[in-house]
Amino acid sequence: MGFVLGIDVSTTATKAIVVDAEGVVRSVGTSEYGFETPHPLWSEQSPDQWWDAAVEAIERALTIGGLAGADVEAVGLTGQMHGAVLLDRDGWPLRPAILWNDQRTGAECDAIRAAVGPERLIAITGNDALTGFTAPKLVWVRDHEPDVWQRVAHLLLPKDYVRLLLTGDYAVDKADGAGTLLFDLAARDWSAEVVAALEIDRAWLPQTFEGPQITGTIGAAAAAATGLQVGAPVVAGGGDQAANAVGLGAVAAGTVALSLGTSGVVFATTDGPLFEPRGRVHAFCHAVPGCWHMMSVMLSAAGSLRWLRDSVAPGVAFADLVEPSAGVPAGSNGLLFLPYLSGERTPHADPLARGAFVGLTLAHDRRHLTRAVLEGVAFGLRDGLDLMVAAGMPAPRQIRASGGGTASPLWRGGRGLVSHRGGRLDQHGHGHAGGRARTRRRALCRGARAVPRALPGAGADVPADVTRDARVGPASAVELGELLLTDLAR
């Protein structure tokens, strides 16, 4: 076998990653871009930015790897979820794409709940109506841009616009489709009931595919632009978090993927379509056929620590900020931190939620502030896990971590998500695009269900015998998050 190529269409850059037959990264190419905020709360991008960046990233990856396009045997896609890409009958964008972080659609979320029924909406889709999802964006366009609405012929998600230009096919994977709020979670396809209630033409919606399924092949025009070979298969792939989970090997119940960056995402694979009755955690289809997942999203995880550093210790290295806090007792001598610096999604789903230090006294110093931030983040992550388990998710046994926050020993304390004896911590770098490459490899070599449960190089043991107090926080700063699953093992 030759090489496979993963393309990750994110909010700020498109990355192309080449992986060999053993799952080893051969090369990575990246092309960056920005997004527009033409009005407060709006967030938009031109779809053509993604294509231009994909072409550049692919060329860079091939050049860096010393490869020809013919060396790439298959391609797959991942990227930012929830964006609304509206196209005319010829496939041309009708307006800039409305992105996942756009917050203009609060009223439209209320309208969706009224049209479908709040309980019925969650029962069908697994989710409440949130401003980040695709469906509220469509309702906004319907009600505010009727001239655009009348010309819509196709709806795609961001990565699938790149797929369209690669193959000429309108397609979406089931993991990304489930993030639109238009999916029947159990049926793993579009919900006729929700689509009709929102006055959306079913003909606009693309065919859905399981992650490893082939959706088309590289066309002549795309081959000329990218250097890839005509006829190379392109598989469905998955949304960024599902792809990250595949890249980390979180493909079976009991394994959790933690992405710890500015935000914190706890992703847990399930064997069935579970959902939290009030929609306080997300429930989507997995990129792995026949699997689903639950997901909590904390908006300010490592971002909370960055805020603290920039506010009270600008220029100080994170390690120098954190190390002294290891000597502070659990509970930070009564100081609590609420990590809602950007509002919150899980468990409160409130864009107006605000952060706070509570219990501050003259006895507290920078060490206590740091410790309190770490503990607040740990409890925030635990909130999401508790909701998942209460909804029927198996108690997690293992965490596989990625993201910049896992680079330091302290943030790797988040491995406490697997505080049982025998738990393991696995760390990986190129989660999203690497996951798409691994999915393609399995699709070509072994079939859709053969995604491994452990990846090459994985497997650092996690000690589980640390004394801790689950009421007030982890026993030491280096064990951030040890409390998160302590109770779940009982």
Side-chain angles (χ1 to χ4, degrees), residues 94-114:
L94 290 168
R95 67 175 324 284
I98 306 177
L99 303 185
W100 63 274
N101 54 350
D102 188 285
Q103 297 293 312
R104 78 184 76 175
T105 59
E108 287 71 27
C109 289
D110 291 337
I112 290 173
R113 296 186 191 101

Side-chain angles (χ1 to χ4, degrees), residues 57-77:
I58 292 168
E59 291 176 343
R60 288 177 177 174
L62 293 176
T63 299
I64 293 170
L67 301 171
D71 295 321
V72 175
E73 296 191 354
V75 179
L77 295 154

